[in-house]
Amino acid sequence: MITALINQIPVPKDIPLDLPLPEWILVVILIFSFLLHILFINLMVGGGVLTFWYELRGLKNKDYDTLAREIASTITVNKSLAVVLGVAPLLSINVLYTVYFYSANALTGAMWISIVPWVAVAFLVFYLHKYSWDRLADNKALHLGILSIGVFSFLMIPFIFLTNINLMLFPEKWAEVSGFFDALTLPNVFPRYFHFITACLAITGFFLAFWFGRKGYTMNENFKNLSKKTIKKQMLNLALAATGMQFIFGPLLFLTLPTQGVTWGLFWVIAGGVTVAVIVVWQLWKLLNDEKEIVGRRYVWLVVLFTVLVGFMGTGRHMYREDALKTHKQMMAERTATHWKDVQKAHEGLLMPEVETDEGPVSPGEALFNNNCAVCHAANNRLVGPPLTEVVPIYENNSEDLKKWIKEPGRKRMDYPPMAGFPNLTDQELTDISKYLLEEEWN
Amino acid sequence: MDFPLFHLDFMGNRMLVALIAIIHVIINHALAVGFIPLVTFLEFRGYQKKQRNAEKGEAWDEVARKLLFFAFIITTTIGALTGVGIWFATSLANPASIGSLIRVFYFAWFSEWIVFVLEVIFIMIYYLTWKKSKQSARNKKRHIIFGFWLSVFSFLTMAIIVGILGFMMDPGSWEAQKTLASGFFNPLYFPQLIFRTPVAMMMAGCVALLYTAFMLKKGNPWRPEILKHISFWILLWMPIAAVGAYTYYWYIPRAMIGNLPVALATQQFQSWYDSLLIVMIVSVAVGFFISILGTLAPKRLPKYLLIIPVLVSFMFLGTFERLREFIRKPYVIGEYMYANGILVEEYPLYQQSGLLKHTPYSSISAITEENKLEAGEAVFNIACTRCHTTHGINSVVVNFEKMYGNQDTLSTDAMKAYMKNMHNVRYYMPPFPGNDAELDALAAYIAEQQKRPQQLEGAQIKGVDVKELDY
């Protein structure tokens, strides 16, 4: 049973080049740049969902339509930042987990590459939605329809990323999956997804509370009844509810993690994160009941708390990845070392198969012929070029013309492709070849 | 070898990369590097005209803004995504090569990324502050100066990237020196830059001309003059583009021939080189004709014909990018890794003891009569699929049929003889990496494919077979 399981694990060789930086620096870059990237992704996805929700409510109350429009204008900026900021973590994960990441990419390749056109189209759809607001004011069904394509895309595309990031952690599953949908149904992808989407809503609510609550923001004159205070309250409500929901999705994610990467260290880091999360919820509650309209000190304090929380979770995420891959990384390192010893042996000729040489040494002309000509010319058969029985007699007693032809051939037979020239051969080499050709019996 | 292999059996993996990369380069050149200076130029002219005629100046400003809007939408969607897409596609098409390159060029790419982030932020600022800039003449002036610096900045982005690309594509210097500076200013660096810059400007002009011709109605009083200005912009860069093209054309063989691994390559190169000349002459001539007409008689400019210079300049760039790709073969990383993703240094091992024995992603270790075809498929997967398909683009079956004059049945002996020595006569082919038994199985597989064609699915569809390795 155990051997059967072990047999399933592919052990490839690692790339035989050093990391460009000490590993820990790359890890810091990865975690930091990833969190920055995911922040804007959160705002982009959450912004999309909220725009949809408020535009829908705007059908009955025009104020919400205005609010939706204001939120929509933040998405297009956030999405641009989300994409460019994604390149640094992509580079870093490529360097740190080359074999794991690329293997997962290949195994889900069709969906993985579809991210490129899909996201491009989703972004275009969001622009179309944003810039057709007035023109489609009388055709809300179509306008909402356009938006729903964009929001649907934003909600689906994360599955592709999460499936990859999950699959790369489990080399033992690589032989089992055929295509994206197999990989999608591995345990842990869905809990990860709910955790992520809920975070999107929490972060977006928290951000928009600031966005509409900040001093510099002057209320759009189209608002009739909706006040700055109400908007702030709704946004904070969302942030609080979504953060609260994480107390369900978080444990669900933790409990469905395959156990091989779960360690006490990870447990304590997650526990630290949970503690901060409790404080976050408590402080959000206080902020919500704060009568002051303008975002103040408590908000800044919450930003700090959120940062710490995300820092804990980001670190935990990395620790789990490292622990889950620990054994496999070791196996891969051993295998790579053995492989390069074998390569060395091969260079010393130790692995050469026994070659039977019963024909004695070959003439220089024959050796040159085998290397340069035999690919296209055989004695009796047509290969790429005509058989030697046909062409050699043309040059009987005329080695000079034969040499000229080999060096710079023309085209005589229209039913064959033109011959490539050999300007690289020296005169001596040409002489050797022509001598071999003319002296050998070709029948 | 060490990765599950993604494979597209119709279009081929390289076509996927080429498609994404060429779209990206075209958007980068036509809608960023060349476009921002053109928009700033039009905005500046609008500002000047506003002094004498407010309405006219306003109309110019609006045209400039709309042009920028168009560029802004395309660059932040398709432009940005195809940029990231190059990473996605290359890591699928040749994971071993991109995985190695990224370890050596991490800093180069990281700095490119920083420049890229700044560029996106600056373009957003430039576009999003446009409406505010109309509030006063002072704001407008500042906005135009910002546009000017943004133009300089996007030019620098290109200058950096051309250097990095030159370094990565330059066979030889990577192994020999492994320093960034030596490769950055490779012999083709300046010719390439002198050539790409005016081409980007002209492409931007062509796209702007097309867009403006459709955006402004025929009766618009400012239309002729604006079209004239854009045409003049193209005309202005024409001599520089011609000089740049000639310089580049002159430098390529001098810088490249020495790098070509086999003298035979020169033949193949010559035909590429000739086609480049034709494309250059045609595109410069078309651009010249349109811009002369637009400058002298903007009212007679036929709006539908304007699509031609746009298409021609795209074709021009496409040919150029293909030529650049050409110099790398048979390597994917000069003298270090072959196009099949196998290291030059590993060759002796695989040629002596076989590929299949060393890959975890095939259930076969020893080839027998029974598993010969299956083994042939596995060898084909490892050794050929990075460039070839079974029956699609660059199909092995079709290539062999063509080579042997469309014979009904491919001879396995002939194919074996060919594949064993192909690197000597086809300079762009890497040597066959496996042992004789694998060569035999591969030839049998190809012959079988001719007889009973069957699509070869990549790892993204059929997954991978895994075996335990002894190590």
Side-chain angles (χ1 to χ4, degrees):
Chain A
M1 180 66 196
I2 287 166
T3 38
L5 278 174
I6 287 173
N7 280 343
Q8 298 273 308
I9 305 179
V11 186
K13 307 180 290 281
D14 203 357
I15 305 266
L17 292 167
D18 293 333
L19 289 177
L21 283 171
E23 195 176 336
W24 69 270
I25 298 182
L26 286 168
V27 169
V28 171
I29 295 178
L30 172 64
I31 296 181
F32 180 76
S33 64
F34 174 74
L35 290 177
L36 205 59
H37 161 68
I38 212 69
L39 170 70
F40 286 98
I41 291 286
N42 282 336
L43 293 176
M44 170 187 114
V45 176
V49 174
L50 282 193
T51 305
F52 189 80
W53 167 244
Y54 280 118
E55 194 178 345
L56 207 60
R57 286 184 73 183
L59 294 176
K60 284 198 183 127
N61 179 348
K62 270 282 162 230
D63 272 0
Y64 283 118
D65 192 71
T66 312
L67 181 60
R69 196 169 179 171
E70 297 266 307
I71 297 173
S73 69
T74 65
I75 301 173
T76 42
V77 174
N78 286 332
K79 70 110 183 60
S80 288
L81 289 171
V83 170
V84 293
L85 290 174
V87 176
L90 181 70
L91 271 175
S92 304
I93 201 163
N94 283 0
V95 167
L96 276 167
Y97 299 98
T98 316
V99 169
Y100 302 101
F101 195 61
Y102 288 169
S103 298
N105 293 172
L107 288 168
T108 59
M111 288 305 268
W112 180 245
I113 195 67
S114 77
I115 287 176
V116 174
W118 197 356
V119 174
V121 168
F123 284 1
L124 284 169
V125 163
F126 269 97
Y127 277 126
L128 178 65
H129 172 257
K130 180 176 163 183
Y131 291 110
S132 66
W133 212 296
D134 290 324
R135 195 172 291 185
L136 293 181
D138 299 330
N139 194 350
K140 274 288 170 194
L142 181 58
H143 198 239
L144 274 164
I146 293 171
L147 180 60
S148 64
I149 296 172
V151 174
F152 174 75
S153 304
F154 277 3
L155 289 176
M156 288 301 117
I157 292 163
F159 273 121
I160 308 178
F161 283 97
L162 291 172
T163 301
N164 264 277
I165 244 40
N166 187 58
L167 181 61
M168 74 173 252
L169 296 180
F170 308 110
E172 67 273 17
K173 304 277 185 200
W174 293 351
E176 286 171 27
V177 298
S178 329
F180 170 78
F181 291 98
D182 274 359
L184 174 69
T185 50
L186 288 180
N188 215 238
V189 175
F190 280 85
R192 273 171 187 262
Y193 180 77
F194 293 124
H195 196 55
F196 164 78
I197 293 291
T198 319
C200 288
L201 294 174
I203 297 286
T204 308
F206 186 65
F207 162 74
L208 289 176
F210 157 77
W211 189 247
F212 293 110
R214 81 202 138 109
K215 252 188 210 153
Y217 178 73
T218 37
M219 286 292 276
N220 189 313
E221 63 240 19
N222 291 332
F223 282 123
K224 289 196 186 69
N225 303 313
L226 210 56
S227 69
K228 218 166 163 172
K229 208 167 155 184
T230 332
I231 299 176
K232 192 192 99 174
K233 197 168 178 182
Q234 289 197 5
M235 295 306 163
L236 284 177
N237 269 336
L238 174 68
L240 181 62
T243 312
M245 287 289 274
Q246 294 295 38
F247 283 89
I248 299 170
F249 291 125
L252 183 67
L253 174 62
F254 192 73
L255 291 174
T256 53
L257 275 181
T259 45
Q260 68 181 32
V262 182
T263 58
W264 279 107
L266 175 70
F267 176 80
W268 290 117
V269 169
I270 298 289
V274 173
T275 317
V276 181
V278 173
I279 306 175
V280 164
V281 169
W282 172 49
Q283 288 296 318
L284 269 176
W285 172 253
K286 285 229 163 179
L287 183 66
L288 191 57
N289 294 310
D290 205 334
E291 282 306 307
K292 271 186 289 175
E293 277 188 32
I294 295 149
V295 172
R297 237 205 219 138
R298 196 182 297 279
Y299 192 86
V300 178
W301 165 231
L302 264 162
V303 171
V304 175
L305 281 174
F306 260 118
T307 312
V308 175
L309 170 60
V310 167
F312 266 112
M313 294 309 181
T315 309
R317 199 167 178 274
H318 181 76
M319 283 172 73
Y320 178 74
R321 184 156 55 213
E322 273 302 304
D323 289 331
L325 290 176
K326 203 166 160 189
T327 321
H328 192 268
K329 269 185 153 180
Q330 218 169 347
M331 283 155 76
M332 197 163 75
E334 280 165 24
R335 157 117 176 85
T336 309
T338 319
H339 172 75
W340 283 97
K341 269 184 213 142
D342 285 347
V343 169
Q344 202 49 47
K345 275 188 211 155
H347 276 271
E348 289 157 10
L350 295 176
L351 302 177
M352 272 306 223
E354 295 289 316
V355 185
E356 289 165 33
T357 45
D358 50 352
E359 287 168 22
V362 292
S363 71
E366 186 175 354
L368 283 164
F369 179 86
N370 286 340
N371 266 337
N372 293 292
C373 321
V375 161
C376 301
H377 298 282
N380 299 302
N381 300 324
R382 173 191 172 133
L383 294 182
V384 180
L388 295 172
T389 44
E390 257 182 55
V391 287
V392 171
I394 303 174
Y395 296 97
E396 192 120 42
N397 301 320
N398 188 359
S399 65
E400 278 313 304
D401 278 353
L402 177 55
K403 279 163 67 181
K404 255 187 230 158
W405 175 271
I406 297 171
K407 192 163 185 157
E408 220 174 300
R411 189 175 189 182
K412 284 184 191 161
R413 295 155 196 257
M414 288 309 144
D415 53 338
Y416 284 94
M419 176 172 154
F422 290 82
N424 53 322
L425 295 180
T426 63
D427 196 61
Q428 183 57 49
E429 287 170 329
L430 290 167
T431 311
D432 288 343
I433 294 176
S434 61
K435 199 171 148 210
Y436 169 69
L437 283 174
L438 295 173
E439 285 175 4
E440 201 79 7
E441 280 294 323
W442 294 112
N443 295 310
Chain B
M1 184 86 207
D2 288 294
F3 295 91
L5 289 169
F6 174 87
H7 176 63
L8 296 172
D9 208 35
F10 175 70
M11 77 187 299
N13 308 302
R14 290 191 313 166
M15 188 60 91
L16 178 73
V17 177
L19 206 68
I20 295 178
I22 288 189
I23 294 176
H24 182 72
V25 172
I26 285 171
I27 291 177
N28 171 276
H29 282 31
L31 290 173
V33 177
F35 219 74
I36 304 287
L38 175 60
V39 167
T40 312
F41 169 69
L42 290 174
E43 189 189 10
F44 174 66
R45 294 293 289 156
Y47 173 74
Q48 279 184 325
K49 286 178 195 301
K50 209 170 179 177
Q51 315 298 328
R52 269 171 284 141
N53 182 343
E55 197 192 337
K56 187 174 177 185
E58 186 54 39
W60 278 65
D61 191 79
E62 190 53 22
V63 168
R65 193 189 68 80
K66 279 194 177 150
L67 282 174
L68 182 62
F69 174 72
F70 173 69
F72 176 75
I73 299 281
I74 301 293
T75 48
T76 56
T77 54
I78 307 174
L81 263 302
T82 46
V84 184
I86 295 177
W87 286 107
F88 279 46
T90 44
S91 67
L92 290 176
N94 204 330
S97 99
I98 198 75
S100 304
L101 284 169
I102 211 169
R103 293 199 176 199
V104 181
F105 299 111
Y106 186 77
F107 294 105
W109 271 317
F110 204 85
S111 43
E112 190 192 323
W113 170 69
I114 293 188
V115 176
F116 178 46
V117 173
L118 292 176
E119 198 184 2
V120 168
I121 292 175
F122 290 163
I123 291 182
M124 281 201 295
I125 293 175
Y126 187 49
Y127 176 69
L128 296 172
T129 55
W130 196 295
K131 285 203 167 146
K132 256 191 192 156
S133 78
K134 286 184 177 180
Q135 285 166 356
S136 73
R138 216 174 117 247
N139 281 359
K140 192 82 235 176
K141 231 193 229 159
R142 282 205 341 235
H143 194 254
I144 292 170
I145 293 171
F146 187 83
F148 172 77
W149 285 113
L150 178 58
S151 307
V152 174
F153 193 78
S154 14
F155 171 77
L156 287 180
T157 322
M158 186 177 75
I160 293 175
I161 292 169
V162 166
I164 294 173
L165 277 181
F167 185 38
M168 294 189 298
M169 307 279 162
D170 181 19
S173 75
W174 190 84
E175 265 291 78
Q177 288 160 305
K178 288 191 183 168
T179 67
L180 198 60
S182 70
F184 199 93
F185 297 108
N186 62 77
L188 274 180
Y189 178 73
F190 285 109
Q192 234 200 89
L193 199 61
I194 298 171
F195 167 74
R196 272 185 197 255
T197 310
V199 166
M201 301 294 170
M202 282 174 56
M203 284 175 75
C206 293
V207 175
L209 201 61
L210 179 70
Y211 187 72
T212 316
F214 277 88
M215 175 173 65
L216 299 179
K217 296 275 164 315
K218 263 268 150 83
N220 189 309
W222 323 115
R223 188 176 185 266
E225 211 186 325
I226 292 175
L227 290 180
K228 188 173 165 173
H229 255 78
I230 300 176
S231 303
F232 187 67
W233 167 272
I234 303 175
L235 200 59
L236 204 67
W237 289 101
M238 189 74 59
I240 307 176
V243 171
Y246 186 77
T247 318
Y248 188 70
Y249 186 73
W250 191 85
Y251 263 104
I252 295 176
R254 281 154 191 83
M256 272 170 54
I257 296 284
N259 282 332
L260 296 177
V262 182
L264 281 174
T266 40
Q267 260 191 351
Q268 175 92 5
F269 173 74
Q270 196 59 42
S271 64
W272 279 95
Y273 191 54
D274 293 343
S275 71
L276 181 72
L277 184 68
I278 293 169
V279 172
M280 274 182 175
I281 292 172
V282 168
S283 51
V284 171
V286 170
F288 184 72
F289 176 73
I290 293 283
S291 54
I292 284 279
L293 187 69
T295 310
L296 299 179
K299 279 189 190 163
R300 316 240 319 256
L301 215 51
K303 130 169 137 170
Y304 290 99
L305 275 188
L306 289 179
I307 193 94
I308 294 175
V310 175
L311 291 181
V312 168
S313 59
F314 287 179
M315 192 177 79
F316 184 21
L317 202 66
T319 313
F320 172 62
E321 299 298 335
R322 262 184 95 185
L323 191 85
R324 209 166 44 76
E325 185 71 1
F326 168 90
I327 66 173
R328 293 209 289 185
K329 291 174 186 168
Y331 300 105
V332 65
I333 305 175
E335 279 152 50
Y336 176 74
M337 183 186 280
Y338 283 112
N340 52 27
I342 295 172
L343 296 175
V344 177
E345 217 182 328
E346 291 176 302
Y347 255 68
L349 175 64
Y350 299 147
Q351 286 181 328
Q352 287 167 26
S353 53
L355 289 163
L356 299 183
K357 188 169 172 260
H358 295 276
T359 178
Y361 296 116
S362 159
S363 49
I364 298 169
S365 291
I367 299 176
T368 60
E369 264 318 301
E370 290 76 53
N371 69 15
K372 200 168 169 184
L373 287 177
E374 202 193 327
E377 183 185 302
V379 173
F380 181 77
N381 226 338
I382 294 171
C384 320
T385 53
R386 298 308 86 205
C387 306
H388 293 283
T389 65
T390 54
H391 306 282
I393 292 175
N394 204 7
S395 137
V396 269
V397 173
V398 174
N399 283 359
F400 271 123
E401 281 175 344
K402 256 195 246 159
M403 218 167 71
Y404 295 125
N406 289 317
Q407 290 171 8
D408 292 337
T409 33
L410 292 170
S411 140
T412 47
D413 285 337
M415 287 194 291
K416 265 159 64 182
Y418 172 77
M419 288 190 289
K420 191 140 184 142
N421 281 304
M422 63 190 165
H423 54 287
N424 288 323
V425 286
R426 302 279 188 273
Y427 77 93
Y428 45 81
M429 294 296 293
F432 177 69
N435 63 14
D436 284 348
E438 288 173 340
L439 186 64
D440 194 47
L442 176 59
Y445 172 73
I446 296 173
E448 174 71 13
Q449 280 296 320
Q450 190 202 25
K451 259 182 264 157
R452 282 175 284 275
Q454 213 179 6
Q455 201 178 335
L456 176 67
E457 306 286 12
Q460 77 273 22
I461 293 171
K462 69 160 189 219
V464 280
D465 288 332
V466 167
K467 72 161 167 282
E468 193 182 11
L469 290 164
D470 300 320
Y471 65 91

